[in-house]
Amino acid sequence: PLNVLSNRPDVQSARLALYASDLDIGIARAARLPSITLSASATSDSGELSTLFDEWAKRLAANLVGPILDGGLRKAELDRTVAVAREKIASYRLTVLEAIQEVEDALVNEHYQIDYVEALSKQYEVSLNNEAESIRRYRRGIVSYLDTLNATTGRENLEVNLVQANANLLQDRIQLYRALGGDWNFLLEE
């Protein structure tokens, strides 16, 4: 299931980086707007009310006009932030696609390894029968002991190959679990 991939640390990290860049866009957009702050303090050196009003008006005008007359700095910052967000979107897509590819590769490897183990198991059963028949024939004097040794050696080689193939199957299963990442409880529900 695709929701299992969302538990992978690399996918979570890319998703959170994308979310953070979206928040940065909001901050950059808000920085382009004029800001007005109201303060309850009124201080002036001259003590005249008209001077106090003039200072307040100058600060208000600076706060309103500042974002407009900043030489395009805030617009450039917004453009940069949007570009970074697009980069994060591309990075998130790539991370998700890589996660899907890793899972698919692991599934295919496991599928082929299961088929290989089944084929080796059938071949091993045939070699067991061949060895038993060779021993019977040797006891009856039909074949030489060398034929029996060859049958036993062939069975033992297949047995070693079968054990190795089962070990490789376990490695493929581990690789699948690593590719899935996160919580694997969905496997217990099946």
Side-chain angles (χ1 to χ4, degrees):
L2 192 58
N3 62 346
V4 174
L5 291 180
S6 66
N7 291 330
R8 286 176 52 125
D10 56 342
V11 173
Q12 286 181 352
S13 174
R15 182 173 37 86
L16 291 175
L18 179 60
Y19 179 70
S21 67
D22 184 45
L23 293 176
D24 289 341
I25 289 174
I27 292 169
R29 282 188 178 143
R32 289 192 68 198
L33 301 175
S35 64
I36 300 174
T37 55
L38 297 176
S39 171
S41 65
T43 59
S44 175
D45 293 338
S46 64
E48 293 181 18
L49 188 58
S50 65
T51 308
L52 180 64
F53 180 73
D54 288 342
E55 289 177 13
W56 178 80
K58 288 177 189 176
R59 278 193 227 124
L60 178 64
N63 285 339
L64 290 175
V65 176
I68 298 170
L69 301 177
D70 66 355
L73 178 68
R74 293 178 188 179
K75 182 180 182 324
E77 179 61 24
L78 177 61
D79 292 343
R80 185 198 66 80
T81 307
V82 169
V84 168
R86 287 186 179 138
E87 179 184 345
K88 298 294 182 189
I89 289 171
S91 175
Y92 179 71
R93 285 180 184 160
L94 181 64
T95 302
V96 170
L97 288 175
E98 286 174 351
I100 291 170
Q101 183 67 44
E102 287 177 14
V103 170
E104 286 183 0
D105 288 348
L107 284 170
V108 167
N109 289 342
E110 183 183 21
H111 174 72
Y112 284 126
Q113 191 64 28
I114 288 171
D115 290 347
Y116 180 65
V117 167
E118 288 174 0
L120 272 179
S121 295
K122 290 177 184 176
Q123 196 174 6
Y124 179 72
E125 289 175 19
V126 169
S127 72
L128 280 174
N129 293 337
N130 185 29
E131 180 185 27
E133 182 62 29
S134 179
I135 291 172
R136 274 193 294 270
R137 288 178 156 203
Y138 170 73
R139 287 183 181 159
R140 291 184 185 168
I142 299 173
V143 296
S144 69
Y145 189 68
L146 185 60
D147 293 334
T148 305
L149 276 177
N150 286 338
T152 302
T153 303
R155 186 224 5 114
E156 288 174 350
N157 287 339
L158 279 172
E159 192 171 359
V160 168
N161 290 343
L162 185 59
V163 168
Q164 184 61 46
N166 278 317
N168 290 342
L169 178 60
L170 289 175
Q171 289 289 64
D172 289 341
R173 178 63 57 99
I174 290 169
Q175 186 59 37
L176 174 62
Y177 288 163
R178 283 183 180 163
L180 289 172
D183 187 15
W184 302 331
N185 288 331
F186 75 96
L187 293 173
L188 301 174
E189 296 170 1
E190 292 178 359

